[in-house]
Amino acid sequence: MNAEVKNEMNIDVKNIGDFLKSHGIRPSYPRVKIYEYLIRHKNHPTVDMIYNSLADVIPSLSKTTVYNTLNMFVDKNVAIVLEMNDSEARYDADVSLHGHFRCVKCGSIYDFNLDSSDFRPRGLDNFLVSEVQVTCKGICAGCRT
Amino acid sequence: MNAEVKNEMNIDVKNIGDFLKSHGIRPSYPRVKIYEYLIRHKNHPTVDMIYNSLADVIPSLSKTTVYNTLNMFVDKNVAIVLEMNDSEARYDADVSLHGHFRCVKCGSIYDFNLDSSDFRPRGLDNFLVSEVQVTCKGICAGCRT
DNA sequence: AGCAATTTTGTAATCATTACAATATTATTA
DNA sequence: TAATAATATTGTAATGATTACAAAATTGCT
Ligand SMILES: [Mn+2]
Ligand SMILES: [Mn+2]
Ligand SMILES: [Zn+2]
Ligand SMILES: [Zn+2]
């Protein structure tokens, strides 16, 4: 990786409940745990990764709840679904503008900074743009050696 | 739309056979027709749209052939699959760098130019980037009125 | 024409996601 | 606090796009 690669977010884990409430989400235990998982694991996890990890701490957890919760997070704008054409959806609690690179060799997904001042979609002058995603594919530095 | 919106491609329809051959694709009748459909219909069609349109002119056409052919086109780099998180994949014969905007009201997908000098992913210095896609979501000019 | 390689086709399987109704939990009211 | 309403969670079944696969058709070559 590289010094310019995007820094981690800095949401205080202790205040997840308040954070969710401020976005119109009742902070139930599964919801807090799922959100906490998202901000602690920056690897853009799939539903299965989240479910398998949380099934230990919430034995009653249903995969449907993970789906429901993530859909709600996206709806309430506290998470995004990556546009990756992957077989499984990948989620990200970092809703700020940044790009994603997927290595076709190792499957890792890297964040990278997008300087919004030099990123302007041209020709959408009368369009209301609510979301932008930049996705790259290729071979990461580690896999090129 | 807008004057800056990306111009249509200019591949000569008559030479589709040669074009496919030059990319290592044997130009069978279904393949030529599917490619011709892609360059004549710039609306980023789904498999069903292509199949339903061509079923008239190729009565024996199977949907599997459309899938197989489009997968081959993507593999041979004469088409791309849009990264859109749509329920059905959308295809584009324009493999040059350009962005896509999907209107969440009418579902239309618009092309727009990306000035590559504007657009520089930061922090992938030692990465081999083979594909870049920029996807926007929002409400198009027509739907905003 | 005869034979081998390739392509197309139809059907069945896959599998991520959603629909749905029952159950459990939480909030509100009396 | 007990009763009641609202919301959340769960398990199972359905959905639907895509793929797997093998048979049939087509094509290219001798
Ligand atoms: Mn990210
Ligand atoms: Mn396009
Ligand atoms: Zn890699
Ligand atoms: Zn629209």
Side-chain angles (χ1 to χ4, degrees):
Chain A
M1 290 293 292
N2 177 296
E4 264 191 306
V5 168
K6 190 167 194 315
N7 286 323
E8 307 294 331
M9 284 189 318
N10 49 6
I11 289 180
D12 187 352
V13 177
K14 292 185 176 177
N15 299 340
I16 289 179
D18 292 338
F19 174 79
L20 294 179
K21 262 190 267 186
S22 74
H23 284 80
I25 299 167
R26 280 242 295 266
S28 71
Y29 188 61
R31 289 171 181 173
V32 169
K33 282 300 177 188
I34 291 170
Y35 189 79
E36 182 185 331
Y37 183 96
L38 279 182
I39 61 178
R40 294 177 99 118
H41 300 81
K42 306 301 176 54
N43 51 333
H44 312 91
T46 64
V47 165
D48 269 19
M49 291 164 72
I50 298 170
Y51 173 77
N52 289 328
S53 172
L54 294 183
D56 294 331
V57 48
I58 316 175
S60 69
L61 184 65
S62 161
K63 203 176 281 188
T64 300
T65 299
V66 181
Y67 276 105
N68 289 342
T69 301
L70 291 169
N71 285 343
M72 161 173 272
F73 285 174
V74 171
D75 197 55
K76 301 289 189 183
N77 290 111
V78 302
I80 58 173
V81 192
L82 301 197
E83 280 157 2
M84 273 286 174
N85 284 354
D86 212 345
S87 64
E88 300 169 74
R90 293 182 164 272
Y91 295 86
D92 192 343
D94 185 351
V95 298
S96 69
L97 178 65
H98 66 286
H100 292 103
F101 175 96
R102 184 177 59 193
C103 175
V104 297
K105 286 235 172 175
C106 65
S108 305
I109 296 177
Y110 297 86
D111 290 320
F112 61 89
N113 281 325
L114 274 176
D115 191 336
S116 59
S117 70
D118 58 40
F119 175 71
R120 291 183 304 266
R122 298 275 174 102
L124 301 177
D125 298 329
N126 296 317
F127 287 48
L128 179 63
V129 179
S130 58
E131 189 183 336
V132 178
Q133 282 202 41
V134 179
T135 304
C136 301
K137 227 182 298 184
I139 301 179
C140 77
C143 288
R144 281 184 68 188
T145 59
Chain B
M1 289 294 290
N2 177 296
E4 263 190 305
V5 168
K6 191 167 193 316
N7 286 322
E8 306 294 331
M9 283 190 318
N10 48 5
I11 289 180
D12 186 353
V13 177
K14 291 183 177 175
N15 299 341
I16 290 180
D18 293 337
F19 175 79
L20 293 180
K21 261 190 271 185
S22 75
H23 284 80
I25 299 168
R26 280 242 295 266
S28 70
Y29 188 61
R31 290 171 180 173
V32 169
K33 282 301 177 186
I34 290 170
Y35 189 78
E36 182 184 332
Y37 183 94
L38 279 183
I39 61 178
R40 294 177 98 119
H41 300 81
K42 307 301 176 58
N43 51 335
H44 311 91
T46 65
V47 164
D48 269 20
M49 291 165 72
I50 299 170
Y51 172 78
N52 290 327
S53 173
L54 294 183
D56 294 331
V57 49
I58 315 176
S60 69
L61 185 66
S62 162
K63 202 175 283 187
T64 300
T65 299
V66 182
Y67 276 105
N68 289 341
T69 302
L70 291 169
N71 286 343
M72 161 174 274
F73 286 175
V74 172
D75 197 53
K76 301 289 190 182
N77 289 111
V78 302
I80 57 173
V81 192
L82 300 197
E83 280 158 0
M84 272 287 175
N85 284 355
D86 214 344
S87 64
E88 300 171 74
R90 292 180 165 275
Y91 295 87
D92 192 345
D94 185 352
V95 298
S96 70
L97 179 66
H98 66 286
H100 293 103
F101 175 96
R102 182 177 60 193
C103 175
V104 297
K105 286 235 171 177
C106 66
S108 304
I109 296 176
Y110 298 86
D111 289 320
F112 62 89
N113 281 324
L114 273 176
D115 190 336
S116 58
S117 69
D118 284 355
F119 173 70
R120 292 185 303 264
R122 300 274 175 102
L124 299 178
D125 297 329
N126 295 317
F127 287 47
L128 179 62
V129 180
S130 57
E131 188 182 337
V132 179
Q133 283 202 40
V134 179
T135 305
C136 301
K137 227 181 298 181
I139 301 178
C140 77
C143 288
R144 280 185 68 186
T145 59

